Amino acid sequence: PPVVEFRGTGLTYPGPPAVRALRPCHFSVRPGEFVTVVGPSGSGKSTFLNVVGLLDAPTEGTYLLDGIDTGRLAEHERAALRGRRIGFVFQSFHLLPHRTAVENVQLAMVYRRVPRAERRERARTALARVGLAHRADALPTRLSGGERQRVAVARALVARPSLLLCDEPTGNLDTATAGEILRLLDELHGEGMTLLVITHDPAVAAHGSRTVSIRDGRLTETVRDREVPA
Ligand code: ADP
Ligand code: ADP
């Protein structure tokens, strides 16, 4: 099945006044795709991210993640599914400041019943994957912005998610460092990872194999330079 499948999925904030932040739409991400989502501020990007990331339930339609109908799940089941299937990367890294790089990565597995020794091993492997084996025992304050984001990517990957969901992953980085992170995302895509990257930066959007625009809560797919309703 697709990793992400929207069937008439939408979200209206009840208000009053009600805000139709995500108009009901059909949208899917197949395994191994690198999809970018662009749109101006206030267009509904965060709402879209929150729905895809199982942080908010849609108010309309159906959302299937890996073929699982998420509308049928209790809140704790949604949270468990989120933890297993989705790796989040945020603009502002969200690392715990008093934990080392490897501890930050390990903590992503605490709720997954992975034995302690295996957690440590997998965390070290994930850090090595992002080129940070030599910084495993450093605190975030000792790391550069690019290194912090690499730790965040390692943390997102360590649970072996089906989807890497990134919100402005280069938003806090200078151009050169942003380029490094984008190369890393490109490499992960090359290895078969499914990526959904939300951005307002056209240069970041260009890395996707497919780009979707969002404006006033409406998703629009760009197919060969032609916009079609999603
Ligand atoms: P973006 O991330 O593109 O800036 P958002 O998804 O945050 O857009 O917002 C889309 C629309 O929904 C905006 O009009 C915003 O004001 C509105 N909105 C966002 N969150 C809420 C909320 N909790 N309650 C009501 N309206 C909201
Ligand atoms: P921005 O990308 O605008 O800087 P943030 O990166 O701070 O925003 O986070 C985006 C949203 O995701 C926020 O609403 C925040 O509460 C939420 N969030 C941040 N970290 C996590 C996390 N580890 N798990 C789930 N949600 C998170």
Side-chain angles (χ1 to χ4, degrees):
V3 177
V4 168
E5 186 175 3
F6 278 14
R7 293 185 185 162
T9 310
L11 191 150
T12 301
Y13 293 108
V19 178
R20 304 192 70 188
L22 181 66
R23 309 271 175 159
C25 63
H26 298 281
F27 167 74
S28 61
V29 179
R30 290 180 297 278
E33 277 197 295
F34 183 166
V35 178
T36 49
V37 179
V38 291
S41 181
S43 59
K45 296 190 301 298
S46 302
T47 303
F48 177 78
L49 173 103
N50 289 343
V51 171
V52 173
L54 296 176
L55 298 166
D56 271 342
T59 54
E60 289 136 299
T62 305
Y63 169 32
L64 296 99
L65 176 64
D66 288 334
I68 299 163
D69 182 350
T70 63
R72 296 180 185 281
L73 304 177
E75 183 49 42
H76 72 278
E77 294 171 318
R78 287 162 45 81
L81 191 66
R82 180 168 67 230
R84 278 199 304 276
R85 311 270 176 140
I86 300 186
F88 289 94
V89 175
F90 296 98
Q91 174 169 359
S92 42
F93 321 135
H94 293 292
L95 300 177
L96 297 176
H98 302 295
R99 304 289 192 147
T100 64
V102 72
E103 285 167 350
N104 268 280
V105 175
Q106 261 175 253
L107 282 167
M109 290 175 284
V110 163
Y111 304 108
R112 297 166 44 78
R113 293 194 212 136
V114 180
R116 179 186 292 261
E118 189 186 336
R119 283 210 299 268
R120 191 167 308 133
E121 182 57 33
R122 277 170 62 173
R124 298 228 172 237
T125 303
L127 280 177
R129 174 64 199 83
V130 301
L132 279 186
H134 61 299
R135 303 295 273 148
D137 299 313
L139 290 171
T141 47
R142 300 292 176 141
L143 299 173
S144 69
E147 287 174 333
R148 286 181 205 182
Q149 192 60 304
R150 283 172 188 276
V151 174
V153 171
R155 178 186 57 190
L157 291 174
V158 77
R160 297 173 185 154
S162 3
L163 179 69
L164 196 60
L165 185 52
C166 308
D167 186 12
E168 300 286 3
T170 60
N172 276 329
L173 304 175
D174 62 67
T175 308
T177 311
E180 283 172 29
I181 296 297
L182 286 171
R183 272 195 296 283
L184 176 60
L185 297 183
D186 287 339
E187 282 172 26
L188 295 172
H189 176 223
E191 291 165 16
M193 176 58 67
T194 310
L195 291 107
L196 188 55
V197 175
I198 295 174
T199 183
H200 68 273
D201 183 344
V204 174
H207 280 254
S209 46
R210 185 155 73 90
T211 299
V212 168
S213 306
I214 182 163
R215 186 174 287 275
D216 298 331
R218 286 181 216 276
L219 230 57
T220 312
E221 194 112 10
T222 304
V223 180
R224 289 194 204 91
D225 303 326
R226 189 167 55 92
E227 295 212 328
V228 298

